[in-house]
Amino acid sequence: MKRLIQQIISRCSVLVLLMSVLSLPYVQAAQLSAMTARQVQKALEFQAEEQWKEAALVLESVGTPTEYDKAFVNRMLGVVYWQKEQPLKAINALYASVNSKVLDEEAQRASERMLADLLMTQSRYQDALRLYYPLSTSKELRQKDRGEIWLRIAQAHYQDEQYSKALKGINAHLKLASAKPSSLSLKLGSQLKLKHWKGSTRTLKQLIAIEPGKKTWWIQLVGSYQRLNDKKQMLNTLVLATRKGITLSDSEKVMMAQLYQQQGVPEKAAAVMAEVNQVEADTTRLVMEASYWQHAKEWDKAIVAWERAAYHAPKYYWVAAQLSLQHGQYQKALSLLERVNNPEKAPDVELARALAYDKLNEFDKALLHAKRANELKPSDKSQSWIQYLTQKTL
């Protein structure tokens, strides 16, 4: 946000404001004493050539016989000192001009605004606010100018961590000026600090409408919906973002897959995870993909994914083998069972082999593995298998 303030009140924009004081109507210049007018003209000539040091020397030497002369010269010195990169001197000169109260109304307002803007560049936000607030209610200012002042007010409050006042200020600005990314960003920042999640979703939609290609807005919108526990809108936002050409990171795709699963669309969840796992897969993500394919009843894809997960974590060979058995892939199951190396699973593995060989009509092999299972761990189940297979081999 500090960077944003630098964008709004840049050195160039301040200079434009300061230089505007030099474009004075003849009636104002005519109020100067003859001696001061001559010196002012000389200083203006130096300024035209960007000879700021010389201009400063001329203005500093002016005798200023009247209060008006002094106020006028101090306004000009504000410009010169700023150009010389002496902001403190520029501010002091403008304070002297403003506090004199001898300038006409228009010149007084312009000077106060210039001073406030310079104070902002020096992070003197409360000092700037004391000048901005009276200006914000001036009926003499154009709507555009009042809008800009409210923007400065919002910025100053934000920098002082007064987020409620910042939000009021930016809302006042937006009533007078069209919405731009810079002003909406300030509004969003205030809303997020205040945990106004619903309001932030509306602001983010405005930002997306203006800058649909900026990924930050889409992801922040997902975050706001997450704060509201609105998973449906989280998913909708991610889907719409991809349709608008936004490239999601792997972690964001994983989030999308989880949201698809939670919304009861496991096939899309699995497809997203398969895309993630094409590039660089880890055990957790492969297990997610396998589980989603299984929930979607895409058995072949689930078995392949479980087998890939088992390559990283061998314990999943048992899961893949069981799923293969359940869905008639008996040779595949036997191949996977060869890779199950957990001693505690040995009796179960032998019974699983018995089942696979039975389904393949290889009853002698089935009986052999049923007997091995019973030797490893006698049980009613293994005894039942032995009895059943013995009858088949007679």
Side-chain angles (χ1 to χ4, degrees):
M1 196 55 69
K2 182 75 172 179
R3 183 179 177 184
L4 183 58
I5 213 172
Q6 291 170 347
Q7 292 172 345
I8 293 175
I9 308 179
S10 66
R11 180 179 175 82
C12 180
S13 64
V14 170
L15 178 59
V16 169
L17 284 169
L18 288 172
M19 291 298 289
S20 69
V21 313
L22 305 179
S23 303
L24 297 170
Y26 174 76
V27 66
Q28 291 186 26
Q31 297 179 44
L32 294 172
S33 65
M35 180 184 68
T36 301
R38 286 193 297 272
Q39 295 293 85
V40 164
Q41 182 59 42
K42 188 175 181 181
L44 286 170
E45 291 171 2
F46 281 126
Q47 285 183 305
E49 298 297 324
E50 297 188 0
Q51 297 178 4
W52 306 108
K53 181 178 179 181
E54 291 78 3
L57 290 172
V58 170
L59 292 170
E60 288 168 350
S61 67
V62 174
T64 58
T66 70
E67 286 299 311
Y68 181 83
D69 284 9
K70 187 183 295 184
F72 189 97
V73 168
N74 276 322
R75 291 183 78 198
M76 291 186 65
L77 279 169
V79 176
V80 174
Y81 287 142
W82 180 252
Q83 275 300 299
K84 290 180 66 186
E85 298 184 358
Q86 295 177 305
L88 183 59
K89 281 191 172 184
I91 287 170
N92 289 340
L94 284 170
Y95 259 127
S97 180
V98 165
N99 291 340
S100 69
K101 304 294 184 183
V102 297
L103 300 172
D104 64 81
E105 290 184 10
E106 183 178 354
Q108 182 74 14
R109 284 193 304 271
S111 299
E112 288 171 355
R113 181 177 172 182
M114 288 185 292
L115 174 56
D117 285 349
L118 285 179
L119 289 166
M120 285 285 280
T121 67
Q122 301 304 300
S123 303
R124 293 172 59 176
Y125 304 118
Q126 290 302 317
D127 289 338
L129 284 167
R130 280 189 279 273
L131 292 162
Y132 281 138
Y133 267 113
L135 289 170
S136 70
T137 59
S138 174
K139 296 180 180 180
E140 303 301 323
L141 288 178
R142 297 176 301 168
Q143 178 175 312
K144 178 183 177 182
D145 292 330
R146 284 189 289 116
E148 289 177 355
I149 287 168
W150 276 111
L151 182 59
R152 303 287 196 273
I153 288 172
Q155 278 285 349
H157 282 305
Y158 190 94
Q159 292 301 318
D160 264 5
E161 301 181 2
Q162 298 172 318
Y163 302 117
S164 292
K165 291 181 178 179
L167 188 56
K168 289 178 182 178
I170 200 62
N171 284 335
H173 163 76
L174 291 170
K175 289 179 181 178
L176 299 168
S178 58
K180 295 180 180 179
S182 57
S183 55
L184 289 173
S185 295
L186 192 149
K187 181 174 182 178
L188 175 64
S190 301
Q191 290 170 324
L192 295 178
K193 291 290 187 180
L194 293 167
K195 300 182 179 181
H196 290 181
W197 309 122
K198 285 186 178 180
S200 70
T201 62
R202 291 190 291 270
T203 303
L204 282 161
K205 286 177 182 178
Q206 287 181 278
L207 283 162
I208 287 171
I210 298 171
E211 297 181 320
K214 189 167 182 178
K215 181 179 177 179
T216 301
W217 307 140
W218 292 97
I219 299 306
Q220 285 190 311
L221 182 56
V222 173
S224 288
Y225 281 128
Q226 187 173 27
R227 294 285 190 171
L228 292 167
N229 199 30
D230 191 338
K231 295 179 180 179
K232 184 177 180 180
Q233 286 302 326
M234 287 175 67
L235 177 58
N236 289 343
T237 301
L238 287 170
V239 171
L240 185 57
T242 58
R243 290 175 182 171
K244 294 292 185 180
I246 301 298
T247 301
L248 300 181
S249 67
D250 283 352
S251 61
E252 289 156 358
K253 288 177 182 177
V254 170
M255 181 194 299
M256 179 188 284
Q258 292 171 324
L259 290 166
Y260 268 130
Q261 176 68 10
Q262 291 164 6
Q263 293 300 308
V265 196
E267 62 276 13
K268 289 191 175 181
V272 172
M273 288 308 304
E275 182 183 337
V276 172
N277 290 333
Q278 272 184 349
V279 181
E280 186 176 352
D282 60 27
T283 306
T284 301
R285 291 177 178 179
L286 285 166
V287 168
M288 288 176 67
E289 180 189 344
S291 299
Y292 295 159
W293 284 130
Q294 195 166 333
H295 289 157
K297 299 182 179 179
E298 294 279 356
W299 311 121
D300 290 349
K301 292 177 180 178
I303 291 167
V304 170
W306 280 121
E307 189 173 4
R308 287 186 68 196
Y311 179 80
H312 297 272
K315 65 180 180 180
Y316 293 114
Y317 281 121
W318 174 242
V319 180
Q322 285 183 303
L323 196 60
S324 298
L325 281 173
Q326 291 167 11
H327 297 284
Q329 297 187 28
Y330 304 117
Q331 289 292 357
K332 179 72 173 178
L334 288 168
S335 174
L336 291 167
L337 288 168
E338 289 294 327
R339 300 185 180 187
V340 178
N341 56 14
N342 183 350
E344 294 181 2
K345 288 288 184 187
D348 295 325
V349 168
E350 293 300 331
L351 284 178
R353 286 181 175 134
L355 171 60
Y357 281 121
D358 176 50
K359 293 296 183 180
L360 292 169
N361 295 322
E362 296 185 45
F363 304 122
D364 288 337
K365 289 183 178 179
L367 179 57
L368 174 65
H369 287 290
K371 288 179 178 179
R372 286 181 180 174
N374 193 60
E375 289 171 3
L376 290 168
K377 185 179 180 181
S379 67
D380 291 342
K381 187 174 183 180
S382 60
Q383 289 287 347
S384 178
W385 267 103
I386 292 170
Q387 184 178 0
Y388 163 73
L389 291 168
T390 299
Q391 291 176 351
K392 281 201 167 187
T393 57
L394 291 176

Short mmCIF file of all heavy atoms in Angstrom, two decimals, residues 137 163 195 255 389:
data_model
loop_
_atom_site.label_atom_id
_atom_site.label_comp_id
_atom_site.label_asym_id
_atom_site.label_seq_id
_atom_site.Cartn_x
_atom_site.Cartn_y
_atom_site.Cartn_z
N THR A 137 -15.05 19.57 1.68
CA THR A 137 -16.42 20.11 1.75
C THR A 137 -16.56 21.43 1.00
O THR A 137 -17.64 22.04 1.02
CB THR A 137 -16.82 20.31 3.22
OG1 THR A 137 -15.89 21.22 3.84
CG2 THR A 137 -16.81 19.00 3.98
N TYR A 163 -8.66 1.95 9.36
CA TYR A 163 -9.25 1.33 8.18
C TYR A 163 -10.73 1.67 7.98
O TYR A 163 -11.18 1.77 6.84
CB TYR A 163 -9.05 -0.18 8.25
CG TYR A 163 -7.58 -0.54 8.36
CD1 TYR A 163 -7.09 -1.21 9.48
CD2 TYR A 163 -6.68 -0.17 7.36
CE1 TYR A 163 -5.74 -1.52 9.59
CE2 TYR A 163 -5.33 -0.48 7.47
CZ TYR A 163 -4.87 -1.15 8.58
OH TYR A 163 -3.53 -1.45 8.70
N LYS A 195 -11.98 -7.26 7.84
CA LYS A 195 -12.63 -8.57 7.70
C LYS A 195 -14.06 -8.44 7.16
O LYS A 195 -14.96 -9.19 7.54
CB LYS A 195 -12.62 -9.32 9.03
CG LYS A 195 -11.21 -9.58 9.55
CD LYS A 195 -11.20 -10.36 10.85
CE LYS A 195 -9.76 -10.60 11.32
NZ LYS A 195 -9.72 -11.39 12.59
N MET A 255 -6.61 -27.48 -4.85
CA MET A 255 -7.76 -26.90 -4.17
C MET A 255 -9.03 -27.09 -5.01
O MET A 255 -10.09 -27.46 -4.49
CB MET A 255 -7.54 -25.40 -3.91
CG MET A 255 -8.69 -24.73 -3.19
SD MET A 255 -8.62 -22.91 -3.24
CE MET A 255 -7.07 -22.60 -2.42
N LEU A 389 -11.95 -75.38 -1.73
CA LEU A 389 -11.04 -75.65 -2.85
C LEU A 389 -10.68 -77.13 -2.94
O LEU A 389 -10.44 -77.66 -4.04
CB LEU A 389 -9.78 -74.79 -2.72
CG LEU A 389 -10.01 -73.28 -2.94
CD1 LEU A 389 -8.78 -72.48 -2.50
CD2 LEU A 389 -10.31 -72.99 -4.42
#
